[in-house]
Amino acid sequence: MKTGTDDDRHKVVTTPRDVSLRYLRSRPTPASRPETGRVAPVERTTYRVHARLVEYVREADSDYHLVLADQQGRTMVVEIPAPSCVGKISPFRAGIRSARRAMNARFAVGADFKHTSVPVVVRGVGFFDYFHGQTGMAPNDLELHPVTGIRFS
């Protein structure tokens, strides 16, 4: 699901819905999460959010872990997968590559967290992760993963 190679990948609406971090953080956490399917409607929706990029790091699996914050300091995680981990069948492949290029053009992403405060517009697909100590995680475990677009203001 994180890269768009799951069976439900074609059920994702790719036209982005403009929302706030507050809205995303308020979506209810599902009682159960299917192993191979997506939780409708959140995980079948592409969102676009305006926020500040406040932290970023390259994780051990090579995904870029980005922490976004709103004006009130509420945070959430968005992730840009490593393009080499994205299968050819993913409808998000081109967007992931583009987002990764944009991030690389702006920042040197390494294995240690770096701090910044840059306004961004991020487009990505909803994904309910499981909490495992991620920096910046929303209280409902919702991320945008994969990120399919990022623009720096």
Side-chain angles (χ1 to χ4, degrees), residues 35-76:
E35 287 292 319
T36 60
R38 293 176 181 267
V39 176
V42 174
E43 293 184 336
R44 294 182 182 177
T45 303
T46 301
Y47 298 99
R48 181 171 38 224
V49 64
H50 294 253
R52 282 180 301 110
L53 172 63
V54 294
E55 293 182 76
Y56 59 93
V57 68
R58 185 184 65 246
E59 296 180 319
D61 64 1
S62 296
D63 286 1
Y64 286 178
H65 175 105
L66 283 61
V67 178
L68 303 184
D70 65 12
Q71 292 179 338
Q72 288 72 38
R74 293 179 287 246
T75 62
M76 82 174 288

Side-chain angles (χ1 to χ4, degrees), residues 55 65-67 75-77 113 115 131-138:
E55 293 182 76
H65 175 105
L66 283 61
V67 178
T75 62
M76 82 174 288
V77 171
F113 269 100
H115 302 273
F131 181 76
H132 51 274
Q134 308 93 307
T135 298
M137 192 71 179

Side-chain angles (χ1 to χ4, degrees), residues 14-127:
T14 56
T15 301
R17 178 176 176 199
D18 288 305
V19 296
S20 65
L21 255 65
R22 181 179 178 190
Y23 172 85
L24 291 170
R25 289 167 47 98
S26 72
R27 301 301 85 207
T29 304
S32 64
R33 299 166 193 179
E35 287 292 319
T36 60
R38 293 176 181 267
V39 176
V42 174
E43 293 184 336
R44 294 182 182 177
T45 303
T46 301
Y47 298 99
R48 181 171 38 224
V49 64
H50 294 253
R52 282 180 301 110
L53 172 63
V54 294
E55 293 182 76
Y56 59 93
V57 68
R58 185 184 65 246
E59 296 180 319
D61 64 1
S62 296
D63 286 1
Y64 286 178
H65 175 105
L66 283 61
V67 178
L68 303 184
D70 65 12
Q71 292 179 338
Q72 288 72 38
R74 293 179 287 246
T75 62
M76 82 174 288
V77 171
V78 303
E79 295 210 13
I80 309 172
S84 61
C85 296
V86 180
K88 292 180 182 179
I89 64 170
S90 174
F92 315 126
R93 191 172 186 198
I96 292 167
R97 284 183 171 172
S98 175
R100 192 76 170 216
R101 278 193 305 271
M103 191 67 187
N104 288 338
R106 183 74 186 245
F107 298 102
V109 183
D112 295 316
F113 269 100
K114 293 185 182 173
H115 302 273
T116 188
S117 184
V118 175
V120 293
V121 180
V122 174
R123 184 179 64 242
V125 181
F127 172 70

